[in-house]
Amino acid sequence: MLAAALLMSALPAAADLPEGIEVRSHAGADGTEYQHLLVRPAEVKPGQKYPLVVFLHGAGERGSDPTVLAKHFFPAMLSEEYRERFPCYIIAPQCPKDGRWANRDWRDPENADGSMSAPMAAASDLVDAALEEFPIDTDRLYLTGLSMGGYGTWDWSVRKADFWAATAPICGGGNPDDAAALKDLPLWVVHGGADNVVPPRLSRDMVAATVAAGGAPIYIEYPDVGHDSWTPAYATPDGLIAWMFRQRKTR
């Protein structure tokens, strides 16, 4: 893990990024140099540990320009209210142009090759390195993502259900056969009822399978919202984000 930490490096700050966001790079085991955004708590107090939120972007933000990652999720998290209420570290890795967070067919997420994708493996190593570099509370590790990142959130949740204190997949999908792994994981799932990009049934099926396995996920479906269900999900002050920060790993 320490070797991974040493491979993380800061890049020159991008002028068009909101204050508080750092652009950094990290090397993947596949030899690819990945980019990510980092946000630190507004004030890091000596001796105190802070939650970590990992954010997985959608397909439209893939590439090598990490500044585009700031257009979703960050507007809410960098608001004055959220910065004060939810001090935390945020890491947002960027997936390369032709990559995916989950090795799944987006229209048929049950069709997967079973392996962790290279971008997700690099993101996992990045998180491990962050746990060594920063004062992070390992009982308060949170994961959320939208669209392609929603698929990635389901996938990472299944693979490392005991690692996360809570996860929140938005407008994504997964394999219901994997849901037994999620029965003890706090989940907040969001989809737009009018989504014509990722069918809402994909979230419904995952939620139903998790419930059948003994889980108790929260499912919010916005009836008249299309693919952009993440904006209301993240921007509701006492909704998903507040719930997420109340979760602590006790299992």
Side-chain angles (χ1 to χ4, degrees):
M1 291 184 187
L2 182 58
L6 295 175
L7 290 172
M8 296 170 59
S9 60
L11 300 175
D16 54 349
L17 277 176
E19 183 179 355
I21 300 182
E22 302 172 34
V23 177
R24 290 162 65 103
S25 67
H26 60 287
D30 61 347
T32 300
E33 182 171 334
Y34 294 87
Q35 314 299 320
H36 65 277
L37 300 183
L38 170 71
V39 173
R40 306 168 193 255
E43 179 185 4
V44 178
K45 299 179 181 179
Q48 185 166 328
K49 293 190 174 184
Y50 296 86
L52 169 68
V53 182
V54 178
F55 170 67
L56 300 181
H57 64 77
E61 290 75 60
R62 290 178 293 182
S64 57
D65 175 12
T67 64
V68 301
L69 306 185
K71 67 181 180 179
H72 302 309
F73 182 65
F74 287 93
M77 294 304 296
L78 292 179
S79 67
E80 184 176 351
E81 177 185 358
Y82 280 26
R83 288 282 269 172
E84 182 176 349
R85 289 179 62 188
F86 312 118
C88 65
Y89 287 90
I90 301 171
I91 289 178
Q94 186 171 38
C95 188
K97 182 178 179 181
D98 297 322
R100 294 188 180 187
W101 294 124
N103 283 327
R104 296 187 180 276
D105 182 326
W106 291 345
R107 291 289 177 174
D108 180 17
E110 295 183 18
N111 181 12
D113 68 12
S115 66
M116 178 182 280
S117 72
M120 183 174 288
S124 181
D125 289 343
L126 170 63
V127 171
D128 287 342
L131 298 184
E132 294 191 8
E133 183 177 358
F134 304 116
I136 291 171
D137 183 350
T138 55
D139 288 334
R140 302 184 71 194
L141 304 177
Y142 309 123
L143 171 66
T144 187
L146 58 89
S147 194
M148 183 186 79
Y151 287 85
T153 300
W154 282 115
D155 191 80
W156 205 347
S157 298
V158 166
R159 294 179 187 278
K160 299 187 72 171
D162 291 337
F163 182 79
W164 305 105
T167 67
I170 298 179
C171 57
N175 187 346
D177 291 343
D178 297 333
L182 305 172
K183 65 183 183 65
D184 297 320
L185 175 65
L187 284 165
W188 184 298
V189 185
V190 177
H191 220 113
D195 192 333
N196 61 2
V197 177
V198 179
R201 65 172 178 81
L202 298 184
S203 283
R204 296 172 192 158
D205 289 350
M206 287 299 294
V207 169
T210 303
V211 171
I218 297 170
Y219 180 52
I220 305 296
E221 185 171 305
Y222 299 107
D224 300 319
V225 173
H227 193 47
D228 180 10
S229 52
W230 54 85
T231 296
Y234 292 140
T236 303
D238 293 313
L240 186 161
I241 299 298
W243 167 87
M244 187 169 64
F245 278 90
R246 290 195 297 269
Q247 310 307 309
R248 290 180 179 271
K249 189 161 53 177
T250 58
R251 48 195 187 283

